[in-house]
Amino acid sequence: MKIIVLMKQVANKDAILRIGKDEKWIDESDISHQTNESDGYALEEALRLKEAKGEGEVIVCTLGAASAKTVLKDALARGADRGIHIIVNEPNKLSPFQIAKTIADAIGEESADLIFTGLQSDDASYGQTGVILAELLGIPHATIVIDLDRSSLGESLRLKRELESGWYQWFTYKLPALLTIQSGISQIRYASLKGIMAAKKKEIRDVTPGVEDYASAQKIEKVYLPLKTKQTQMLGDGDAKKGALELVEKLKTEVRVL
Amino acid sequence: MSILVFIEHKDCVLNKASLEAVAAAQSIAKDTGLKVTAVIPCSKDCSLAQEISQYNLDKVIVAKNDKLNIYTPDGYADAWEQIIKQTNAQYVVMAHTYQVRDFAPKVAARFGKEIVGDCIRYTNNGGKLTFTRRIFLGKLDADVTIEGGAPYFVTFQSGSFRGDNAEKGSAQTETVEVDVKELRMTPEEPFQEAKASVDLTKSGIIVAVGRGIKSQENIAVAQALADALGADLAASRPICDAEWLPIDRQIGSSGQTVAPKVYIALGISGAIQHTVGMKNAGTIVAVNKDAEAPIFDIADYGIVGDLFEVVPTLVEEIKKAKS
Ligand SMILES: Cc1cc2nc3c(=O)[nH]c(=O)nc-3n(C[C@H](O)[C@H](O)[C@H](O)COP(=O)(O)OP(=O)(O)OC[C@H]3O[C@@H](n4cnc5c(N)ncnc54)[C@H](O)[C@@H]3O)c2cc1C
């Protein structure tokens, strides 16, 4: 059984974002990065599925700049078997269809039984790369997957999707299939020292794709700070303690809960 | 040529988010001179069609096939593909619900297109529409235009348009039998997990923690504040994902929707999937060390600072005030 996990490098959650000179993206030059949150869960679930089955191969694949190699190395250290790096220097310039098409060209021949992705990236948040990829590969997909019935794995797989407001639904999918994984599906393991050592010997294949032009792209014209819509009373002028004192006063006199 | 708008339902009961999409489609119709057709995939002569025909629409189409009795992405994609071709649709407008996230990109891909997804508004510059999407979990906005030819696929975030602003009128209803090929997935019945043991919808005051709380041990810091206020403790998704608090304390689109008198958000950035669950609170207080955190945009009171400095002082002063 072969599982491909798609993982993306994104800006660190706590990084201070500066808008780039052309105002079309953030300035990524000296920003710290991390693996997209839900992609980490996608990897974890792939590893667990392989372990439950007792055989198989987990391949991690990223489309990104040279720096994105750390995403693959980290995944290999956690237990993935090999990596594919589709090298694109400015992935933010590609629209979701182009990304899906480029990935389809790079991994199509692997003929995986399952492809896992995170449900959306925390930067561009297109939330559709996986679904378009499935359609291009001619396989079915499920999004927002929050549980797998691992024992059901065979010609098909039973999975649980998250619906809105605390509702869920089980589906059985014929394989091959593509699943986009929701955060929280299972607890993520840490890389062990042994895993980190073993990763050094694992293969990462670099792919330099020819990215096709795409006439129907959505084009980012301008990126900016959201306009404020509500009058917020800011308390304490940056002094935490003063802010706390002022808030208690407000809770007494304006909100009247004390 | 028309604008198609998706009417989402379960067993012919409307998902109200679709009315927001109707309002959005009507607005785009005014700007482009196009007419709006509502589309309801269903296995029956859908009883919802009557209700939807009372909006200002050109037409209501029930896309009918036995296999559309319960949602599947394959079934919905087949139905939509045919309706879009038949109507020569210019725009396809939908609410950005979990179901739409699931099938809309698949439909778009069949036309070689993608989705401009989760938009919060659009502007009309002489007939060319510019859509605004929120990116980086709400920290930035991006203005986006779509290149190439129709159909254009657009989805709008919950709350971008008001469903009760959808214009009333009267529309003809039409049933179109659609072909649905093989379904490669078999759905079971949707269900809710065992009843939540805490019902936060009845709470007067909620203290909610986000990833800024850093560790499970630190939950005690927020608990102390909740105790001092007589409040209930709640959390953003990452806290429940990490099992630092049980999932029935999660607020947001996948968790509970609450409207307490006071909601105090500690170390929560304010992503849309969280704020849809609490934005109707009477008073919103946000404590966050990042002055640009989007949570401040919906807060009544904000403190920019380290929650580990703010909260102990708060607890102390509240205790004083109460004694
Ligand atoms: C389909 C879908 C469904 C989802 N459903 C939900 C849902 O139901 N509920 C939900 O909450 N989320 C949900 N999410 C996730 C959501 O998009 C966000 O990722 C999540 O809400 C972020 O949680 P957070 O604010 O705690 O973490 P972060 O976004 O990481 O924010 C942490 C904040 O803490 C601040 N901070 C850090 N340290 C300190 C300190 N010492 N003092 C003060 N502030 C500090 C930081 O400045 C930052 O603003 C969903 C996402 C998707 C895609």
Side-chain angles (χ1 to χ4, degrees), chain B residues 35 104 158 185:
Chain B
K35 289 187 170 151
S158 149
M185 62 285 301

Side-chain angles (χ1 to χ4, degrees), chain B residues 32-204:
Chain B
T32 55
L34 299 166
K35 289 187 170 151
V36 184
T37 295
V39 180
I40 315 178
C42 196
S43 59
K44 302 193 273 281
D45 292 316
C46 190
S47 56
L48 192 55
Q50 165 69 13
E51 183 181 337
I52 299 303
S53 70
Q54 282 158 30
Y55 286 91
N56 183 16
L57 302 164
D58 188 44
K59 220 192 294 176
V60 178
I61 294 179
V62 177
K64 195 174 157 193
N65 186 294
D66 285 346
K67 291 182 188 158
L68 299 175
N69 63 331
I70 180 162
Y71 169 77
T72 59
D74 278 356
Y76 268 45
D78 284 353
W80 269 99
E81 185 183 347
Q82 287 161 65
I83 300 292
I84 291 168
K85 282 184 180 151
Q86 270 183 29
T87 54
N88 193 13
Q90 191 81 3
Y91 282 92
V92 179
V93 176
M94 307 193 188
H96 194 73
T97 61
Y98 287 19
Q99 188 177 96
V100 166
R101 294 173 61 114
D102 195 57
F103 78 83
K106 182 179 176 71
V107 178
R110 289 197 177 170
F111 291 86
K113 304 287 178 185
E114 55 190 26
I115 303 278
V116 181
D118 212 9
C119 300
I120 53 168
R121 61 175 172 269
Y122 78 90
T123 48
N124 174 18
N125 311 308
K128 175 122 178 127
L129 305 187
T130 300
F131 298 90
T132 303
R133 304 181 59 238
R134 208 139 261 191
I135 56 176
F136 288 95
L137 295 175
K139 289 188 195 133
L140 295 174
D141 279 353
D143 284 350
V144 172
T145 54
I146 321 177
E147 320 247 279
Y152 306 113
F153 293 82
V154 184
T155 71
F156 284 97
Q157 187 166 96
S158 149
S160 312
F161 286 82
R162 293 186 53 124
D164 46 15
N165 284 352
E167 271 174 41
K168 293 288 171 109
S170 84
Q172 289 173 23
T173 313
E174 186 185 309
T175 300
V176 176
E177 305 276 347
V178 289
D179 272 344
V180 174
K181 293 183 221 85
E182 184 209 5
L183 303 180
R184 295 166 293 178
M185 62 285 301
T186 315
E188 297 171 31
E189 277 300 314
F191 64 98
Q192 273 182 302
E193 294 289 8
K195 195 110 189 78
S197 59
V198 271
D199 181 3
L200 296 171
T201 61
K202 304 214 164 60
S203 309

Side-chain angles (χ1 to χ4, degrees), chain B residues 210-278:
Chain B
R211 204 196 309 265
I213 200 79
K214 298 270 178 339
S215 73
Q216 185 160 25
E217 297 74 61
N218 291 340
I219 301 279
V221 175
Q223 184 69 57
L225 177 59
D227 291 345
L229 282 166
D232 286 311
L233 203 57
S236 68
R237 175 163 202 131
I239 303 305
C240 302
D241 284 349
E243 294 175 359
W244 296 350
L245 282 173
I247 189 153
D248 49 16
R249 303 235 167 218
Q250 181 172 311
I251 303 297
S253 58
S254 309
Q256 299 198 43
T257 299
V258 296
K261 189 156 187 244
V262 183
Y263 190 94
I264 303 181
L266 304 174
I268 291 178
S269 64
I272 173 70
Q273 294 87 1
H274 185 77
T275 57
V276 289
M278 45 66 74

